[in-house]
């Protein structure tokens, strides 16, 4: 059985290698020093999502190039410690918090990373552990610790000497990151100044200069225009593929999130003429790309560790919840700005889970999947992916005036995680209504609210804290918001 599977895999790989052609970017028979960079960025899941992507498919592509040219290296342009559903699994009292991702990237293996904003979602202790576990390199020239010095294991830049026969090519890398995640343990300096310094320092020392960036694409364009001496910008942060090639400027490349695609960059450097040839190809990691069996075994190991942890918390990750006939929009751009069908389902589920409640309120930022789930079968694991942090639903009683203050701040938080999603409230312009009528300042309202909002840790909602707050009467604590969502999905779409 094992032999047959191995044989089938070898055959699939051979077909795959043939299918992708393995055509080098430059013709053989010259004196070029050739190397390949395999680019991934914004990878949160280690398994395929809707049969696309996943670590084992990345390994297949990486190995297929590595077999032809040992000078093949993988780089990641940030965003992989978080957010992910697997990362929220509690193992021995500690959340995985990206441990599974670092283990997978070590296994492939990854050569070099830069930070994305989501690397700093994890707490300082977890961040330190992930850095300690990583066997790959880190480059960053604008992110520092709280004291303004280097983060652990992080180099400002790196020069890689790639050898081919008698010849060699020196490749310089530096990394810059968008300063959008103000975690307490990091500080940022200006990425344009950092890039300028790195270009000045590296360009005279290297044959090829690569910027690994995690920036909004407009900022990548700024870097490209300001520093045409860069040979290529390998970027991340946007979740959709970007390929920006402007004559005489460095090309900017971003692959699709979750490795639905990878960019393969093939380089050929002529040490005599010093000319560099480049060819960038987007490879989609579709359902027909075989999974590398060694890496797949490692993926399965981590999925089992996480699923066992979810089972301990009372979930059955593989269990089907419902066949959902509609797409469910959980993208951050939506759920932090407006109600979506998915956001409404969660709020309605809260109302049902807290009997007697008139209105449900939770923060849009608790929806972390940042993706639209296509119609089809939904499992309990998908619900964990939607609401990875979960949390209890709490019934409270508050006056109408206080309710209006909460709702107004929810709207003022538009664009942020503190934008509030609701059920039972409609609007007439800015005026919130309950059952079509204006909310009365002096009347008591029964609210189902997420326990997180009552901690006072939400942006601009510190005053909503339940402890010692005379404006809030806590009535009862109910089940986890994920169980309430599962029940609501079954009510709506179950058979
Ligand atoms: Zn990002």
């Amino acid at each position: 059985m094992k032999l047959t599977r191995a044989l089938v895999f070898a055959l699939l790989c051979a077909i795959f290698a043939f299918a992708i052609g393995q055509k080098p970017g430059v013709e053989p028979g010259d004196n070029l020093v050739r190397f390949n960079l395999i680019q991934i960025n914004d990878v949160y899941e280690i398994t395929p999502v809707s049969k696309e992507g996943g670590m084992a498919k990345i390994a297949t592509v990486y190995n297929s190039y590595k077999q032809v040219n040992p000078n093949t290296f993988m780089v990641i342009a940030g965003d992989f410690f978080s957010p992910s559903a697997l990362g929220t699994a509690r193992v021995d009292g500690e959340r995985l918090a990206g441990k599974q991702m670092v283990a997978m990237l070590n296994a492939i293996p990854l050569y070099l990373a830069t930070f994305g904003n989501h690397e700093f979602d994890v707490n300082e202790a977890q961040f330190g552990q992930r850095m300690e576990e990583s066997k790959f390199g880190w480059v960053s020239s604008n992110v520092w610790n709280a004291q303004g010095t280097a983060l652990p294991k992080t180099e400002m830049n790196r020069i890689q000497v790639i050898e081919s026969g008698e010849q060699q090519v020196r490749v310089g890398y530096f990394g810059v990151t968008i300063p959008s995640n103000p975690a307490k343990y990091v500080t940022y300096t200006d990425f344009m100044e950092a890039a300028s310094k790195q270009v000045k320092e590296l360009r005279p020392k290297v044959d090829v200069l690569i910027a690994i960036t995690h920036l909004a694409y407009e900022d990548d364009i700024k870097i490209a225009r300001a520093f045409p001496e860069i040979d290529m910008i390998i970027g991340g942060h946007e979740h959709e593929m970007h390929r920006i090639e402007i004559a005489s400027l460095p090309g900017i490349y971003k692959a699709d999130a979750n490795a639905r695609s990878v960019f393969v960059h093939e380089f050929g450097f002529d040490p005599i003429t010093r000319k560099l040839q480049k060819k960038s190809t987007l490879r989609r990691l579709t359902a027909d790309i075989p999974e590398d069996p060694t890496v797949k075994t490692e993926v399965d190991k981590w999925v089992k560790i996480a699923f066992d942890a979810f089972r301990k918390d009372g979930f059955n990750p593989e269990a089907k919840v419902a066949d959902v006939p509609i797409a469910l929009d959980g993208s951050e751009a939506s759920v932090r700005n407006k109600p979506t069908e998915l956001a409404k389902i969660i709020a309605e589920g809260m109302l049902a889970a807290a009997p007697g409640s008139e209105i449900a309120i939770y923060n849009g930022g608790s929806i972390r999947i940042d993706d639209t789930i296509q119609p089809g079968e939904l499992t309990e694991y998908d619900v964990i992916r939607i609401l990875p942090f979960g949390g209890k639903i709490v019934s409270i009683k508050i006056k109408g005036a206080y309710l209006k203050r909460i709702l107004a701040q929810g709207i003022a938080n538009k664009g942020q995680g503190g934008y509030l999603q609701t059920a039972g409230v409609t609007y007439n312009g800015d005026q919130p209504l309950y059952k079509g009528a204006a909310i009365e300042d002096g009347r008591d309202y029964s609210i189902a609210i997420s326990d997180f909002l009552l901690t006072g840790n939400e942006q601009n909602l510190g005053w909503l804290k339940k402890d010692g707050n005379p404006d809030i009467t806590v009535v009862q604590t109910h089940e986890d918001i994920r169980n309430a969502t599962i029940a609501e999905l079954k009510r709506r779409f179950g058979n």
Side-chain angles (χ1 to χ4, degrees):
M1 175 65 191
K2 262 197 169 152
L3 186 74
T4 322
R5 274 178 63 188
L7 214 70
V8 168
F9 178 75
L11 199 68
L12 277 171
C13 279
I15 293 167
F16 172 67
F18 179 74
I20 64 170
Q22 291 294 315
K23 276 187 204 122
V26 279
E27 295 305 314
D30 45 42
N31 287 320
L32 299 179
V33 186
R34 294 164 208 285
F35 66 99
N36 304 318
L37 297 179
I38 311 286
Q39 171 189 357
I40 55 173
N41 50 271
D42 303 84
V43 183
Y44 310 101
E45 300 288 338
I46 62 173
T47 54
V49 177
S50 308
K51 296 183 178 155
E52 295 189 351
M55 290 293 152
K57 287 180 196 274
I58 298 174
T60 299
V61 173
Y62 170 78
N63 289 330
S64 72
Y65 282 88
K66 186 101 181 159
Q67 273 163 22
V68 178
N69 183 354
N71 286 326
T72 297
F73 308 93
M74 190 163 83
V75 295
I76 187 163
D79 271 8
F80 52 100
F81 284 180
S82 168
S84 88
L86 286 188
T88 63
R90 273 180 211 280
V91 179
D92 302 327
E94 268 284 326
R95 287 193 194 274
L96 288 180
K99 194 183 181 75
Q100 77 289 358
M101 191 60 79
V102 171
M104 294 312 316
L105 293 173
N106 283 342
I108 291 179
L110 179 70
Y111 171 67
L112 197 57
T114 197
F115 300 113
N117 47 305
H118 284 305
E119 266 57 79
F120 312 114
D121 290 350
V122 302
N123 67 39
E124 187 173 10
Q126 290 163 338
F127 177 81
Q129 285 161 12
R130 298 300 86 82
M131 296 304 287
E132 195 53 47
E133 288 154 9
S134 57
K135 293 180 184 159
F136 42 87
W138 289 90
V139 282
S140 175
S141 35
N142 79 318
V143 192
W144 316 93
N145 66 19
Q147 290 74 43
T149 57
L151 286 160
K153 279 192 160 176
T154 306
E155 305 164 278
M156 282 229 277
N157 57 53
R158 171 178 286 203
I159 297 173
Q160 178 190 30
V161 180
I162 296 174
E163 296 189 338
S164 169
E166 302 284 285
Q167 314 195 89
Q168 56 171 229
V169 58
R170 298 170 74 81
V171 186
Y173 302 90
F174 70 92
V176 283
T177 302
I178 185 170
S180 66
N181 191 344
K184 287 201 178 83
Y185 59 91
V186 292
T187 51
Y188 301 88
T189 46
D190 185 81
F191 62 82
M192 288 299 282
E193 278 172 32
S196 167
K197 213 175 140 215
Q198 292 308 318
V199 171
K200 265 193 209 100
E201 183 184 332
L202 284 171
R203 187 71 266 185
K205 298 181 191 166
V206 300
D207 306 308
V208 182
L209 181 54
I210 309 279
I212 309 178
T213 69
H214 192 90
L215 298 170
Y217 80 94
E218 303 89 357
D219 291 333
D220 281 311
I221 292 173
K222 260 195 222 165
I223 290 195
R225 290 198 188 283
F227 311 108
E229 313 93 303
I230 296 172
D231 290 303
M232 183 177 286
I233 297 175
I234 290 182
H237 193 55
E238 269 86 17
H239 285 187
E240 273 69 49
M241 188 277 284
H242 279 64
R243 179 185 193 122
I244 303 164
E245 290 165 334
I246 303 168
S248 78
L249 296 185
I252 301 164
Y253 303 91
K254 306 188 188 214
D256 293 282
N258 279 327
R260 280 180 288 129
S261 67
V262 302
F263 257 114
V264 177
H265 305 293
E266 296 165 89
F267 297 84
F269 179 72
D270 188 326
I272 296 157
T273 64
R274 302 196 54 75
K275 268 204 173 140
L276 178 68
Q277 298 189 32
K278 293 172 281 190
K279 182 184 161 195
S280 297
T281 313
L282 188 77
R283 300 276 179 221
R284 297 199 175 278
L285 302 194
T286 46
D288 55 320
I289 304 286
E291 297 190 286
D292 177 88
T294 312
V295 172
K296 175 78 165 63
T297 304
E298 188 72 9
V299 169
D300 291 346
K301 184 187 99 182
W302 284 99
V303 169
K304 187 177 181 309
I305 289 170
F307 277 24
D308 285 348
F310 293 137
R311 280 186 202 99
K312 270 192 197 147
D313 282 347
F315 293 98
N316 185 0
E318 286 109 336
K320 173 175 160 178
V321 174
D323 284 309
V324 178
I326 54 167
L328 297 176
D329 183 0
S331 63
E332 287 186 358
S334 294
V335 298
R336 295 177 175 218
N337 282 291
K338 61 179 189 205
T340 70
E341 207 50 41
L342 175 64
K344 283 190 235 168
I345 287 169
I346 295 166
E348 296 288 344
M350 291 172 72
L351 275 187
S357 300
E358 296 163 303
I359 287 168
I361 302 174
Y362 71 101
N363 53 316
S366 56
I367 301 175
R368 298 301 284 267
I369 190 163
D370 201 8
D371 202 358
T372 295
I373 303 165
Q374 296 309 313
E377 184 184 303
L378 208 81
T379 62
E380 290 196 11
Y381 179 59
D382 291 317
V383 176
I384 296 171
R385 286 173 59 216
I386 295 165
L387 296 162
F389 293 103
K392 301 280 186 201
I393 299 161
V394 184
S395 298
I396 58 170
K397 270 204 184 349
I398 52 175
K399 293 285 182 211
Y402 198 70
L403 171 61
K404 283 199 274 190
R405 188 179 168 200
I406 296 170
L407 295 173
Q409 189 58 53
I411 290 169
N413 282 348
K414 231 177 212 194
Q416 299 174 310
Y419 173 76
L420 298 179
Q421 294 286 356
T422 58
V425 184
T426 55
Y427 283 90
N428 178 16
D430 291 349
Q431 270 287 316
L433 308 174
Y434 173 64
K435 288 192 173 167
I439 291 169
E440 300 164 40
D441 285 353
R443 167 173 161 346
D444 278 329
Y445 288 85
S446 295
I447 312 293
I449 194 164
S450 57
D451 60 0
F452 172 73
L453 284 179
L454 295 177
T455 61
N457 286 327
E458 184 55 89
Q459 257 170 333
N460 310 319
L461 283 165
W463 46 267
L464 189 52
K465 206 172 186 159
K466 71 171 191 285
D467 295 335
N469 187 341
D471 290 320
I472 299 173
T473 307
V474 175
V475 180
Q476 202 187 335
T477 301
H478 306 275
E479 63 186 332
D480 191 284
I481 191 169
R482 292 171 290 191
N483 294 109
T485 303
I486 290 168
E488 183 66 23
L489 285 161
K490 282 186 175 163
R491 268 193 296 277
R492 289 194 185 204
F493 307 115
N495 358 337

